[in-house]
Amino acid sequence: MELLKQRIMKDGLVKAGNVLKVDSFLNHQMDIALFSEIGKEFYRRFMDCDVTKILTIEASGIGIACVTAQFFHVPVVFAKKSQSKNIDGEVFTSRVESFTHGRVYDIIVSKKFLGPDDRVLIIDDFLAKGSALEGLCKLVQDSGAELVGAGIVIEKGFQEGGKLIRGHGVRVESLAIIDRMDDVTGEIFFRP
Ligand code: 5GP
């Protein structure tokens, strides 16, 4: 998605440790006009999939998921990050390792909001090592819902997440895939 790539080039900051900072337009301050174009593009790619629900993970996926949901006219469910050791039986749960914070946490979704009648589109801001997306896929699988695919805003193609999740047979659509970035020069190279 050209508009997104241009924005990443203009305002994205490459940090040490393979981290791309996009907090001026994507995951801290949010450019809603851009979100709207992102939502339209996800809709264009998944409009024929009879999506009944969009699933994301707190916090940074929520804004993009909500704007996207306006094009699909479906509810958004976000997985909550939970510290709690004794999670009751009323939730689907899985374990996620945070790329940016380097710790492990549980994510939960109430059984009230995902079930066998659902056709789920997962939306998230980044795909890096794939742990967040894998955790979300497991929640969908456990609920008996059909996973139609995952829409990712920025995939870091030089990390293993894309290969891992596509290897499970999941359709992953990323709007910008970065093949290489350099924290010394600040250069970002996209997959054509
Ligand atoms: P993964 O589980 O695929 O390793 O990482 C995905 C999650 O980590 C995303 O939901 C995102 O919040 C965060 N993340 C991964 N890489 C980056 C990055 O380069 N920049 C930012 N801002 N967040 C990232």
Side-chain angles (χ1 to χ4, degrees), residues 13 15 17-23 26-27 56-61 81 96-101 105 123-136 152 154 156 158-162 164-165 178 181:
L13 294 173
K15 298 287 179 189
N18 286 329
V19 171
L20 178 67
K21 220 166 172 205
V22 284
D23 60 354
L26 192 67
N27 53 20
T56 189
I57 182 168
E58 68 175 353
S60 40
K81 294 173 180 171
V96 168
E97 201 173 317
S98 162
F99 174 75
T100 37
H101 300 109
Y105 53 88
I123 295 285
D124 204 4
D125 59 343
F126 270 95
L127 176 56
K129 293 186 173 179
S131 181
L133 188 49
E134 197 165 42
L136 290 170
I152 301 294
I154 303 173
K156 291 187 290 181
F158 53 87
Q159 292 181 295
E160 63 268 34
L164 175 80
I165 305 294
I178 296 173
M181 53 189 204

Side-chain angles (χ1 to χ4, degrees), residues 22-191:
V22 284
D23 60 354
S24 65
F25 63 96
L26 192 67
N27 53 20
H28 192 19
Q29 175 168 262
M30 299 181 281
D31 180 339
I32 302 305
L34 177 66
F35 278 29
S36 196
E37 294 306 312
I38 288 171
K40 265 184 225 166
E41 182 59 22
F42 283 139
Y43 183 65
R44 195 182 66 76
R45 295 187 191 207
F46 289 102
M47 64 193 292
D48 297 328
C49 298
D50 296 324
V51 172
T52 65
K53 220 157 261 188
I54 289 178
L55 175 68
T56 189
I57 182 168
E58 68 175 353
S60 40
I62 296 176
I64 301 152
C66 288
V67 175
T68 301
Q70 290 195 300
F71 296 97
F72 286 91
H73 300 286
V74 298
V76 173
V77 177
F78 67 90
K80 297 188 176 199
K81 294 173 180 171
S82 162
Q83 313 285 2
S84 138
K85 295 271 181 296
N86 47 2
I87 288 163
D88 63 33
E90 298 308 306
V91 294
F92 299 113
T93 177
S94 66
R95 188 143 284 199
V96 168
E97 201 173 317
S98 162
F99 174 75
T100 37
H101 300 109
R103 58 188 165 81
V104 175
Y105 53 88
D106 292 312
I107 57 171
I108 59 166
V109 162
S110 168
K111 288 184 177 172
K112 282 187 289 193
F113 303 129
L114 274 187
D117 294 338
D118 282 314
R119 296 179 56 80
V120 178
L121 171 63
I122 296 174
I123 295 285
D124 204 4
D125 59 343
F126 270 95
L127 176 56
K129 293 186 173 179
S131 181
L133 188 49
E134 197 165 42
L136 290 170
C137 290
K138 182 182 174 293
L139 293 182
V140 176
Q141 197 179 17
D142 289 351
S143 76
E146 184 82 22
L147 177 62
V148 307
I152 301 294
V153 181
I154 303 173
E155 175 177 342
K156 291 187 290 181
F158 53 87
Q159 292 181 295
E160 63 268 34
K163 205 170 173 190
L164 175 80
I165 305 294
R166 291 184 182 94
H168 296 331
V170 177
R171 176 182 172 195
V172 180
E173 295 278 346
S174 300
L175 303 189
I177 302 181
I178 296 173
D179 271 336
R180 187 161 76 80
M181 53 189 204
D182 188 321
D183 65 329
V184 177
T185 63
E187 285 172 297
I188 300 168
F189 300 91
F190 292 99
R191 191 165 300 177

